[in-house]
Amino acid sequence: MSHPLIAAARAVRPVVEAHADQAEIDRQLPQPAVDALAEAGLMRMFVPADYGGPGADPVTVVEAVAAVSAADGSAGWCTMIATTTSSMAAFLAPQYAAEIYADPLVVTGGTFAPNGRAEPVEGGHVVSGRWQWGSGTTHCQWIVGGALATDGTVRMMFAPASEVELIDTWHTAGLRGTGSGDFRFDGVFVPEGRSVTPFAPCPHVDGPLGRMPTFTLLASGVAAVTLGIARRALDELVALAQAKTPQFSSRTLAVSPLAQLDVARAEGALGGARSYLVDELGRTWETILRGDDVDVVQRARGRGAAGHAAADAARAVDLAYHAAGGSAVFTSSPLQRCFRDVHTATQHVMVQQRALEAAGKVLLGVDADTSML
């Protein structure tokens, strides 16, 4: 039986698809799409039940994000960013969690990279910095920026959107509708309780999600977007192949041996990528539910599975795009958007090939920088 959040992700597809073209034009999600996703509970899937959220497990979130991404990659990306940011709720003290997440329609987003500097003052920190890839910040009520404090800790700083400057830099090939421009904190005061240390061993909500490796959650979320985009690309190819008769042919594309081979290869790449990611996430989740620590090898396997999933999802999209021929280059074809979107997503640091290199070093017993695992 499908989890309610996965069912909700499938149910919002008509609204998301209806606004996908406008998202490309506006370079951010139209408000009706944001509202539909928020009302379905898809922008806060990792908020713990203690704080009124769904408290979803990582595999459910991957499936839900992939379902939204199959409707539109930009909407799936914004859903992923909002949800992974909401995982920080477990590290907030109850009064600050209530301030931020009590309203079920609130959307949070931002960037984990510690590009800011946090100076201690009475009652908190004064934060300044500029971040890239501020996905969805145009529709967020709270924005999070990673900052390096003077004590050497990396903290996620929550600030009201009204105190954050948004900088329109998002002119890209793909994921155009995500509004992923830069943003800046300029001497923003962040109370102590609104800064969290995601790598702390004891979150305020002592549940399994708080013990899940932060980078495993983020990498699997990025990979989930690529899986959904690839699913859409293959569905579009199948529909096209059954209707299109290529030039210099008397039969439909569906009966072409090359097209048949490409579809089979693409389905294999996508199915294998999804299964490997879900399997590794499930193993990690089971480890946490048993009360055991997630060791570096298991973290490496999770990051490796996410990187592998993104790479193979992109390969599946490439196969579908090329099999479609000239039909795929027109803006009216969802295949060209899938092609642009998936190759933009794979540029994210969480799924780039260097993540696979670090994972491989760990699995081979070679010294490796494991800070990003």
Side-chain angles (χ1 to χ4, degrees), residues 217-288:
L217 287 180
L218 184 53
S220 63
V222 174
V225 176
T226 68
L227 294 177
I229 294 170
R231 180 70 271 156
R232 175 63 178 275
L234 292 182
D235 291 346
E236 291 292 337
L237 174 62
V238 169
L240 175 69
Q242 292 170 345
K244 174 180 177 176
T245 301
Q247 284 188 335
F248 311 112
S249 175
S250 61
R251 300 189 299 172
T252 64
L253 182 62
V255 300
S256 162
L258 287 178
Q260 294 163 358
L261 187 58
D262 284 342
V263 167
R265 285 173 171 168
E267 284 288 357
L270 178 56
R274 178 194 169 278
S275 295
Y276 181 25
L277 179 62
V278 167
D279 183 60
E280 287 299 333
L281 272 182
R283 289 173 185 270
T284 300
W285 192 242
E286 289 172 2
T287 296
I288 291 170

Coordinates of all heavy atoms in Angstrom, one line a residue, residues 217-288:
L217 N 21.2 12.1 3.5 CA 19.8 12.6 3.2 C 19.8 13.5 2.0 O 19.0 13.4 1.1 CB 19.3 13.4 4.4 CG 18.8 12.6 5.6 CD1 18.3 13.5 6.7 CD2 17.7 11.6 5.2
L218 N 20.8 14.5 2.0 CA 20.8 15.5 0.9 C 21.2 14.8 -0.4 O 20.5 15.1 -1.4 CB 21.9 16.5 1.3 CG 22.0 17.7 0.3 CD1 20.6 18.3 0.0 CD2 22.9 18.8 0.8
A219 N 22.2 13.9 -0.4 CA 22.6 13.3 -1.7 C 21.4 12.4 -2.2 O 21.2 12.4 -3.4 CB 23.8 12.4 -1.5
S220 N 20.8 11.7 -1.3 CA 19.7 10.8 -1.8 C 18.5 11.7 -2.4 O 17.8 11.3 -3.3 CB 19.2 9.9 -0.7 OG 18.6 10.6 0.4
G221 N 18.3 12.9 -1.8 CA 17.3 13.8 -2.3 C 17.6 14.3 -3.7 O 16.7 14.3 -4.5
V222 N 18.8 14.7 -3.9 CA 19.2 15.1 -5.2 C 19.1 14.0 -6.2 O 18.6 14.1 -7.3 CB 20.7 15.6 -5.2 CG1 21.2 15.9 -6.6 CG2 20.8 16.8 -4.3
A223 N 19.5 12.8 -5.8 CA 19.4 11.6 -6.7 C 17.9 11.3 -7.0 O 17.6 10.9 -8.1 CB 20.0 10.4 -6.1
A224 N 17.0 11.5 -6.0 CA 15.6 11.2 -6.2 C 15.0 12.1 -7.4 O 14.2 11.7 -8.2 CB 14.8 11.5 -5.0
V225 N 15.5 13.4 -7.4 CA 15.0 14.3 -8.5 C 15.4 13.7 -9.8 O 14.6 13.7 -10.8 CB 15.6 15.7 -8.3 CG1 15.2 16.6 -9.5 CG2 15.1 16.3 -7.0
T226 N 16.6 13.2 -10.0 CA 17.1 12.7 -11.3 C 16.3 11.4 -11.6 O 16.0 11.2 -12.8 CB 18.6 12.4 -11.3 OG1 18.9 11.3 -10.4 CG2 19.4 13.6 -10.8
L227 N 16.0 10.6 -10.6 CA 15.2 9.4 -10.9 C 13.8 9.8 -11.5 O 13.3 9.1 -12.4 CB 15.0 8.6 -9.7 CG 16.3 8.0 -9.1 CD1 16.0 7.2 -7.8 CD2 17.0 7.0 -10.1
G228 N 13.2 10.8 -10.9 CA 11.9 11.2 -11.4 C 11.9 11.8 -12.8 O 11.1 11.6 -13.6
I229 N 13.0 12.6 -13.0 CA 13.1 13.2 -14.4 C 13.3 12.1 -15.4 O 12.7 12.1 -16.5 CB 14.3 14.1 -14.4 CG1 14.1 15.4 -13.5 CG2 14.7 14.6 -15.8 CD1 15.3 16.2 -13.3
A230 N 14.1 11.1 -15.1 CA 14.3 10.0 -16.0 C 13.1 9.2 -16.2 O 12.8 8.8 -17.4 CB 15.4 9.0 -15.4
R231 N 12.3 9.0 -15.2 CA 11.0 8.3 -15.4 C 10.1 9.0 -16.4 O 9.5 8.4 -17.3 CB 10.3 8.2 -14.0 CG 8.9 7.5 -14.0 CD 9.1 6.0 -14.3 NE 9.0 5.7 -15.7 CZ 9.5 4.6 -16.2 NH1 10.2 3.7 -15.5 NH2 9.4 4.4 -17.5
R232 N 10.1 10.4 -16.2 CA 9.3 11.2 -17.2 C 9.8 11.0 -18.6 O 9.0 10.9 -19.6 CB 9.3 12.6 -16.7 CG 8.6 13.6 -17.7 CD 7.1 13.3 -17.8 NE 6.4 14.2 -18.7 CZ 5.9 15.4 -18.3 NH1 6.1 15.8 -17.0 NH2 5.3 16.2 -19.1
A233 N 11.1 11.1 -18.8 CA 11.7 11.0 -20.1 C 11.3 9.7 -20.8 O 11.0 9.6 -22.0 CB 13.2 11.1 -20.0
L234 N 11.4 8.6 -20.0 CA 11.1 7.3 -20.6 C 9.6 7.1 -21.0 O 9.2 6.6 -22.0 CB 11.5 6.1 -19.7 CG 13.0 6.0 -19.5 CD1 13.3 4.8 -18.6 CD2 13.7 5.8 -20.8
D235 N 8.8 7.7 -20.1 CA 7.3 7.7 -20.4 C 7.0 8.5 -21.7 O 6.2 8.1 -22.5 CB 6.5 8.2 -19.2 CG 6.6 7.3 -18.0 OD1 7.0 6.1 -18.2 OD2 6.2 7.7 -16.9
E236 N 7.7 9.6 -21.8 CA 7.5 10.5 -23.0 C 8.0 9.8 -24.2 O 7.4 9.9 -25.3 CB 8.2 11.8 -22.8 CG 7.6 12.7 -21.7 CD 6.2 13.2 -22.1 OE1 5.9 13.3 -23.3 OE2 5.5 13.6 -21.2
L237 N 9.1 9.1 -24.1 CA 9.6 8.4 -25.3 C 8.7 7.3 -25.8 O 8.4 7.1 -27.0 CB 11.0 7.8 -25.0 CG 11.6 6.9 -26.1 CD1 11.8 7.7 -27.4 CD2 12.9 6.2 -25.7
V238 N 8.2 6.5 -24.8 CA 7.2 5.4 -25.2 C 6.0 6.0 -25.9 O 5.5 5.5 -26.9 CB 6.8 4.6 -23.9 CG1 5.7 3.7 -24.2 CG2 8.0 3.8 -23.4
A239 N 5.4 7.1 -25.3 CA 4.3 7.7 -26.0 C 4.6 8.2 -27.4 O 3.8 8.0 -28.3 CB 3.7 8.8 -25.1
L240 N 5.8 8.8 -27.5 CA 6.2 9.3 -28.8 C 6.4 8.2 -29.8 O 6.0 8.3 -30.9 CB 7.4 10.2 -28.6 CG 8.1 10.7 -29.9 CD1 7.2 11.8 -30.5 CD2 9.5 11.2 -29.6
A241 N 7.1 7.2 -29.3 CA 7.4 6.1 -30.3 C 6.2 5.4 -30.8 O 6.2 4.9 -32.0 CB 8.3 5.1 -29.5
Q242 N 5.1 5.3 -30.0 CA 3.9 4.7 -30.5 C 3.2 5.5 -31.5 O 2.3 5.0 -32.3 CB 3.1 4.3 -29.3 CG 3.7 3.2 -28.4 CD 2.9 3.1 -27.1 OE1 2.1 3.9 -26.7 NE2 3.2 2.0 -26.4
A243 N 3.5 6.8 -31.6 CA 2.7 7.7 -32.5 C 3.6 8.2 -33.7 O 3.0 8.5 -34.7 CB 2.2 8.9 -31.7
K244 N 4.9 8.2 -33.5 CA 5.7 8.9 -34.5 C 6.2 7.9 -35.6 O 6.6 6.8 -35.3 CB 7.0 9.5 -33.8 CG 8.0 10.0 -34.8 CD 9.2 10.6 -34.0 CE 10.3 11.1 -35.0 NZ 11.4 11.7 -34.3
T245 N 6.0 8.3 -36.8 CA 6.6 7.6 -37.9 C 7.8 8.4 -38.4 O 7.6 9.5 -39.0 CB 5.6 7.4 -39.1 OG1 4.5 6.7 -38.6 CG2 6.3 6.7 -40.2
P246 N 9.0 8.0 -38.2 CA 10.2 8.8 -38.6 C 10.3 9.0 -40.1 O 9.7 8.2 -40.9 CB 11.4 7.9 -38.1 CG 10.8 7.1 -37.0 CD 9.4 6.8 -37.5
Q247 N 11.0 10.1 -40.5 CA 11.2 10.3 -41.9 C 11.9 9.1 -42.5 O 12.7 8.4 -41.9 CB 12.0 11.5 -42.1 CG 11.3 12.8 -41.9 CD 12.1 14.1 -42.3 OE1 13.3 14.0 -42.2 NE2 11.4 15.1 -42.6
F248 N 11.6 8.8 -43.8 CA 12.1 7.7 -44.5 C 11.8 6.4 -44.0 O 12.5 5.4 -44.2 CB 13.7 7.9 -44.7 CG 14.1 9.2 -45.1 CD1 14.8 10.1 -44.2 CD2 13.8 9.7 -46.4 CE1 15.2 11.3 -44.6 CE2 14.2 11.0 -46.8 CZ 14.9 11.8 -45.9
S249 N 10.7 6.3 -43.2 CA 10.2 5.0 -42.7 C 8.7 4.9 -42.9 O 8.0 6.0 -42.9 CB 10.6 4.9 -41.2 OG 10.0 3.8 -40.6
S250 N 8.3 3.7 -43.0 CA 6.8 3.5 -43.2 C 6.2 3.0 -41.9 O 5.0 2.7 -41.8 CB 6.5 2.6 -44.3 OG 7.2 1.3 -44.1
R251 N 7.0 2.8 -40.9 CA 6.5 2.2 -39.6 C 6.9 3.1 -38.4 O 7.7 4.0 -38.5 CB 7.1 0.8 -39.4 CG 6.8 -0.2 -40.5 CD 7.2 -1.6 -40.1 NE 8.7 -1.7 -39.9 CZ 9.3 -2.8 -39.5 NH1 8.6 -3.8 -39.1 NH2 10.6 -2.8 -39.3
T252 N 6.2 2.9 -37.3 CA 6.4 3.8 -36.2 C 7.7 3.5 -35.5 O 8.3 2.5 -35.7 CB 5.3 3.6 -35.1 OG1 5.4 2.2 -34.6 CG2 3.9 3.8 -35.7
L253 N 8.2 4.5 -34.8 CA 9.4 4.4 -34.1 C 9.4 3.2 -33.1 O 10.5 2.6 -32.9 CB 9.7 5.7 -33.3 CG 11.0 5.8 -32.5 CD1 12.2 5.7 -33.4 CD2 11.0 7.1 -31.7
A254 N 8.3 2.8 -32.6 CA 8.2 1.7 -31.7 C 8.6 0.4 -32.2 O 9.1 -0.5 -31.5 CB 6.7 1.6 -31.2
V255 N 8.6 0.2 -33.5 CA 9.0 -1.0 -34.1 C 10.5 -1.0 -34.6 O 11.0 -2.0 -35.1 CB 8.1 -1.5 -35.3 CG1 6.7 -1.6 -34.8 CG2 8.2 -0.5 -36.4
S256 N 11.2 0.1 -34.3 CA 12.6 0.2 -34.7 C 13.4 -0.6 -33.7 O 13.3 -0.4 -32.5 CB 13.0 1.6 -34.6 OG 14.4 1.7 -34.6
P257 N 14.2 -1.6 -34.2 CA 15.1 -2.3 -33.2 C 16.0 -1.5 -32.4 O 16.2 -1.7 -31.2 CB 15.9 -3.2 -34.2 CG 15.0 -3.4 -35.4 CD 14.4 -2.0 -35.6
L258 N 16.5 -0.4 -33.0 CA 17.4 0.5 -32.2 C 16.6 1.2 -31.1 O 17.1 1.3 -29.9 CB 18.0 1.6 -33.1 CG 19.1 1.1 -34.0 CD1 19.6 2.2 -34.9 CD2 20.3 0.5 -33.3
A259 N 15.4 1.7 -31.4 CA 14.6 2.3 -30.3 C 14.2 1.3 -29.2 O 14.2 1.6 -28.0 CB 13.3 2.9 -30.9
Q260 N 13.9 0.1 -29.6 CA 13.6 -1.0 -28.6 C 14.8 -1.3 -27.7 O 14.6 -1.4 -26.5 CB 13.2 -2.3 -29.4 CG 11.9 -2.1 -30.1 CD 11.7 -3.2 -31.2 OE1 12.5 -4.1 -31.4 NE2 10.5 -3.1 -31.9
L261 N 16.0 -1.3 -28.3 CA 17.2 -1.5 -27.5 C 17.4 -0.4 -26.6 O 17.8 -0.6 -25.4 CB 18.4 -1.7 -28.5 CG 19.7 -2.1 -27.8 CD1 19.6 -3.4 -27.1 CD2 20.8 -2.2 -28.9
D262 N 17.2 0.9 -27.1 CA 17.4 2.0 -26.2 C 16.5 2.0 -25.0 O 16.9 2.4 -23.9 CB 17.3 3.3 -27.0 CG 18.5 3.6 -27.9 OD1 19.6 3.0 -27.6 OD2 18.4 4.4 -28.9
V263 N 15.2 1.7 -25.3 CA 14.2 1.7 -24.2 C 14.6 0.6 -23.2 O 14.5 0.9 -22.0 CB 12.8 1.5 -24.8 CG1 11.8 1.1 -23.7 CG2 12.3 2.7 -25.5
A264 N 15.0 -0.5 -23.6 CA 15.3 -1.6 -22.7 C 16.5 -1.2 -21.9 O 16.6 -1.4 -20.7 CB 15.6 -2.9 -23.5
R265 N 17.5 -0.6 -22.5 CA 18.7 -0.2 -21.8 C 18.4 0.9 -20.8 O 18.9 0.9 -19.7 CB 19.8 0.3 -22.8 CG 20.5 -0.8 -23.5 CD 21.4 -0.3 -24.6 NE 22.2 -1.3 -25.2 CZ 22.9 -1.2 -26.3 NH1 22.9 0.0 -27.0 NH2 23.7 -2.1 -26.8
A266 N 17.6 1.8 -21.2 CA 17.2 2.9 -20.3 C 16.4 2.5 -19.1 O 16.7 2.9 -18.0 CB 16.5 4.0 -21.1
E267 N 15.5 1.6 -19.3 CA 14.7 1.0 -18.2 C 15.6 0.3 -17.2 O 15.5 0.3 -16.0 CB 13.6 0.1 -18.7 CG 12.4 0.8 -19.3 CD 11.6 1.5 -18.3 OE1 11.8 1.4 -17.1 OE2 10.6 2.2 -18.7
G268 N 16.6 -0.5 -17.8 CA 17.5 -1.2 -16.9 C 18.4 -0.3 -16.1 O 18.6 -0.5 -14.9
A269 N 18.9 0.8 -16.7 CA 19.7 1.8 -16.0 C 18.9 2.5 -14.9 O 19.3 2.6 -13.8 CB 20.2 2.8 -17.0
L270 N 17.7 2.9 -15.2 CA 16.8 3.5 -14.2 C 16.4 2.6 -13.1 O 16.5 3.0 -11.9 CB 15.6 4.1 -14.9 CG 14.6 4.9 -14.0 CD1 15.3 6.0 -13.2 CD2 13.4 5.4 -14.8
G271 N 16.0 1.4 -13.5 CA 15.5 0.5 -12.4 C 16.6 0.0 -11.5 O 16.5 0.0 -10.3
G272 N 17.8 -0.2 -12.1 CA 19.0 -0.5 -11.3 C 19.4 0.6 -10.4 O 19.7 0.4 -9.2
A273 N 19.4 1.8 -10.9 CA 19.8 3.0 -10.1 C 18.8 3.2 -8.9 O 19.2 3.4 -7.7 CB 19.7 4.2 -11.0
R274 N 17.5 3.1 -9.2 CA 16.5 3.2 -8.1 C 16.7 2.1 -7.0 O 16.7 2.4 -5.8 CB 15.1 3.2 -8.7 CG 14.0 3.3 -7.6 CD 12.7 3.0 -8.2 NE 11.7 2.9 -7.1 CZ 11.6 1.8 -6.3 NH1 12.3 0.7 -6.5 NH2 10.7 1.8 -5.3
S275 N 16.8 0.9 -7.5 CA 16.9 -0.2 -6.5 C 18.1 -0.1 -5.6 O 18.0 -0.4 -4.4 CB 16.9 -1.5 -7.3 OG 15.6 -1.7 -8.0
Y276 N 19.2 0.2 -6.2 CA 20.5 0.3 -5.4 C 20.3 1.4 -4.4 O 20.7 1.3 -3.2 CB 21.6 0.6 -6.4 CG 23.0 0.7 -5.8 CD1 23.3 0.1 -4.5 CD2 24.0 1.5 -6.4 CE1 24.6 0.3 -4.0 CE2 25.3 1.6 -5.8 CZ 25.5 1.0 -4.6 OH 26.8 1.1 -4.1
L277 N 19.8 2.6 -4.8 CA 19.6 3.7 -3.8 C 18.7 3.3 -2.7 O 19.0 3.5 -1.5 CB 19.1 4.9 -4.6 CG 18.9 6.2 -3.7 CD1 20.2 6.6 -3.0 CD2 18.3 7.3 -4.5
V278 N 17.5 2.8 -3.1 CA 16.5 2.4 -2.1 C 17.1 1.3 -1.1 O 16.8 1.4 0.1 CB 15.2 2.0 -2.8 CG1 14.3 1.3 -1.8 CG2 14.5 3.2 -3.4
D279 N 17.8 0.4 -1.7 CA 18.4 -0.7 -0.9 C 19.4 -0.1 0.1 O 19.3 -0.5 1.3 CB 19.0 -1.7 -1.8 CG 19.6 -2.9 -1.0 OD1 18.8 -3.6 -0.3 OD2 20.8 -3.2 -1.0
E280 N 20.3 0.7 -0.3 CA 21.3 1.3 0.6 C 20.6 2.2 1.7 O 21.0 2.1 2.9 CB 22.3 2.0 -0.1 CG 23.3 1.1 -0.9 CD 24.1 0.2 0.0 OE1 24.3 0.5 1.2 OE2 24.5 -0.9 -0.5
L281 N 19.7 3.0 1.3 CA 19.0 3.8 2.2 C 18.2 3.0 3.3 O 18.2 3.3 4.5 CB 18.0 4.7 1.5 CG 18.4 6.1 1.0 CD1 17.3 6.8 0.4 CD2 19.1 6.9 2.1
G282 N 17.6 1.9 2.8 CA 16.9 1.0 3.7 C 17.8 0.4 4.7 O 17.4 0.2 5.9
R283 N 19.0 -0.1 4.2 CA 19.9 -0.7 5.1 C 20.4 0.3 6.2 O 20.5 -0.1 7.4 CB 21.1 -1.2 4.3 CG 20.9 -2.4 3.5 CD 22.1 -2.7 2.6 NE 21.9 -3.8 1.7 CZ 22.1 -5.1 1.9 NH1 22.5 -5.4 3.1 NH2 21.8 -6.0 1.0
T284 N 20.7 1.5 5.8 CA 21.1 2.5 6.7 C 20.0 2.8 7.8 O 20.2 3.0 9.0 CB 21.5 3.8 6.0 OG1 22.6 3.5 5.1 CG2 22.0 4.9 7.0
W285 N 18.8 2.9 7.3 CA 17.6 3.2 8.2 C 17.4 2.1 9.2 O 17.2 2.3 10.4 CB 16.4 3.4 7.3 CG 15.2 3.9 8.1 CD1 14.0 3.3 8.3 CD2 15.1 5.2 8.7 NE1 13.1 4.2 8.9 CE2 13.8 5.3 9.2 CE3 16.0 6.3 8.8 CZ2 13.4 6.5 9.9 CZ3 15.5 7.4 9.5 CH2 14.2 7.5 10.0
E286 N 17.6 0.8 8.7 CA 17.5 -0.3 9.6 C 18.6 -0.3 10.7 O 18.3 -0.6 11.9 CB 17.6 -1.6 8.8 CG 16.3 -1.9 8.0 CD 16.5 -3.1 7.0 OE1 17.6 -3.7 7.1 OE2 15.6 -3.4 6.3
T287 N 19.8 0.1 10.3 CA 20.9 0.2 11.3 C 20.5 1.2 12.4 O 20.7 1.0 13.6 CB 22.2 0.7 10.5 OG1 22.6 -0.3 9.6 CG2 23.3 1.0 11.5
I288 N 20.0 2.4 11.9 CA 19.6 3.4 12.9 C 18.4 2.9 13.8 O 18.4 3.1 15.0 CB 19.2 4.7 12.2 CG1 20.4 5.3 11.5 CG2 18.5 5.7 13.1 CD1 20.2 6.4 10.6

